[in-house]
Amino acid sequence: METKKTAIGSVFAIAGKIIVLTCGFGLHIFLARWMKPDLYGLYGFIMSILIWVEYMVLMGVPSAYRKIISENENMIDSVLQSIKWLFIPYCLTITFIFILISLKIFSDTSLVLLLVISAIDIPIYGIYAAYLSLLNGYRDFIRESVSSSLYAVFKISFVILLVFMGFGLKGAFIGNAIASFAGFLVVFFFVKKRISQHKINKIIDLKPRIVSFGLPYLLYILTAMLIVHMDMWFVKGLMNDDMMTGYYSVSYNLSRPILFLLTGLIFVMFPSMSKAISENNEELIKKHIFQIMRFATIILIPFTLIISSKSGEIITLLFGAGYLPASNSLKILLIGISFFSIYSVFLNIIAAENKPYYSFFISLSLIPIAMVMNYTLINSYGIDGAAMATASVSFLGLIVAGIYIWNRFRIIINLPTLIRVVSASACLYIIARQINSSGYYLILELVILSFIYITLLILFKEINSGDLAIIRENIFKRK
């Protein structure tokens, strides 16, 4: 029953992530076409810093809230009190520190102004993320997906509106903050509705649990995500060329969908894994690992192969021919982000086992390696070198974390599943290489290839009637 619930959640999480991904992509396409590569590169650089900083309010304390609620729903009153008196001051402190550091590090006043404006989003987005984590802890994946989808719609709408009104980059960052506030209002309504019939329980001080779990979890997330953010910072710092930064921003953003989709699966997996671990149910833990790795394999392999085979055509269609110099770095970075996605899954499994400090130390050990490789390879190969560094370090992390998972659970992935998915993906790659479509015909080609892939998985019996029955029963007959 629990694995079935996780599978259902995965479906809704993926659907929500697809909506979020589509809106995010649409926003980047608009901004890249509206701006020149150098200005878009500046936007990408600031967003990469902001996103990494926002992990401090997205993944630390909210992750602890998610884990607490997944293990005991009666703790909701204590969590809400903690959000009010602990988390909100924490978010404001992070914002203040970010602004101070920006003022100290950067001498370019226009860049500092943009960073200060972007910082407005940090506390608002943090509160939104905290309430969203409560829905995840309840495993209310439908409302969680609706909330995140509406937030994405708000974001693309407000940013485009303010940019069109002539506010430029400043408008883009202000729109980002307005969208977070609108998203918070939605998720606040859902949480309030979810607990409206709830009896008030005794308030418990959660600081010890937040520190014992949330702090090492936050440190692990920051160090892990630094691996896939520092490449952009090194490109900006070493090459000192906003045009090249703009090209790499295209590769950076086009390679993110696979990681983004798997993040949805990780969020679905985490509360169920935590519950299974708290109950010491080894069989259920292994089933969850098998399930998440199955979904990951089905998503990662074909996406990487197909986008790599059509990298130039996709860049031209979405961003324009002016961004074609990003084609080679995109091919390399796709492989790197695929490695990093699996690495992230492994680290989350370790963290769910109440060992986030293991994940932290694994990631921390990779940081100096990543710094050296970025410095060396970017100086030698430019933006392609940045992609090489990310791919190499991510693969190393995958191996290290994978060894731990194997030694602990004796399971990583089902070999027949891997063979079937690789076979189906190889067929797609061969077909894609024989077709030279461009423009809007490329979209039709990708849709057809998707249908072929799904058909092959059904024929190979990787997708079976049991999977389809779960989706049909719980999407169309869900009360």
Side-chain angles (χ1 to χ4, degrees), residues 28 67 137 177 201 205 234 280 283 290 303 319-320 381 398 459:
H28 278 286
K67 182 175 176 60
N201 290 283
D205 185 8
F234 270 88
N280 199 27
E283 181 179 354
F290 170 79
F303 184 93
F319 296 92
Y381 302 101
L398 183 157
L459 292 175

Side-chain angles (χ1 to χ4, degrees), residues 125-142:
Y125 184 75
I127 300 169
Y128 158 78
Y131 274 83
L132 195 67
S133 72
L134 303 184
L135 293 178
N136 184 265
Y138 280 123
R139 279 162 283 184
D140 193 345
F141 302 118
I142 297 178

Side-chain angles (χ1 to χ4, degrees), residues 145-330:
S145 297
V146 170
S147 299
S148 59
S149 298
L150 286 175
Y151 162 73
V153 173
F154 292 145
K155 183 173 180 177
I156 189 174
S157 302
F158 285 120
V159 170
I160 289 179
L161 176 63
L162 290 175
V163 171
F164 262 130
M165 289 175 66
F167 291 98
L169 279 181
K170 297 175 185 176
F173 295 120
I174 293 172
N176 194 40
I178 295 174
S180 294
F181 181 72
F184 162 71
L185 293 179
V186 172
V187 73
F188 177 80
F189 170 78
F190 282 146
V191 170
K192 188 175 180 180
K193 186 175 181 180
R194 180 70 171 78
I195 64 176
S196 59
Q197 304 300 320
H198 179 75
K199 292 183 179 180
I200 298 177
N201 290 283
K202 180 181 178 181
I203 303 300
I204 299 174
D205 185 8
L206 297 179
K207 286 195 289 292
R209 289 202 63 182
I210 291 172
V211 172
S212 63
F213 178 83
L215 180 59
Y217 191 87
L218 171 62
L219 292 174
Y220 127 62
I221 289 293
L222 290 177
T223 51
M225 297 309 296
L226 193 57
I227 294 171
V228 287
H229 282 271
M230 72 164 65
D231 52 353
M232 175 71 78
W233 305 343
F234 270 88
V235 166
K236 170 72 173 174
L238 292 177
M239 302 188 74
N240 195 27
D241 187 335
D242 286 337
M243 186 78 72
M244 296 306 295
T245 306
Y247 296 148
Y248 197 68
S249 292
V250 168
S251 299
Y252 180 89
N253 289 302
L254 274 175
S255 64
R256 262 35 187 189
I258 43 179
L259 177 59
F260 200 72
L261 288 175
L262 280 195
T263 300
L265 296 180
I266 290 171
F267 277 11
V268 169
M269 174 197 72
F270 193 89
S272 297
M273 281 287 294
S274 296
K275 185 174 178 62
I277 289 169
S278 67
E279 295 172 351
N280 199 27
N281 190 334
E282 288 281 333
E283 181 179 354
L284 188 57
I285 293 171
K286 291 182 179 181
K287 286 182 179 179
H288 286 316
I289 294 174
F290 170 79
Q291 189 177 77
I292 191 68
M293 290 305 299
R294 177 170 174 259
F295 274 111
T297 304
I298 289 173
I299 293 171
L300 284 176
I301 296 176
F303 184 93
T304 302
L305 287 176
I306 298 306
I307 301 302
S308 295
S309 69
K310 299 289 182 179
S311 61
E313 293 90 339
I314 291 173
I315 289 174
T316 301
L317 173 64
L318 297 178
F319 296 92
Y323 289 92
L324 270 176
S327 180
N328 284 333
S329 61
L330 173 60

Side-chain angles (χ1 to χ4, degrees), residues 350-367:
I350 297 171
E353 200 188 4
N354 292 316
K355 296 179 179 177
Y357 46 89
Y358 278 31
S359 299
F360 165 61
F361 284 120
I362 292 173
S363 298
L364 183 64
S365 66
L366 296 176
I367 296 302

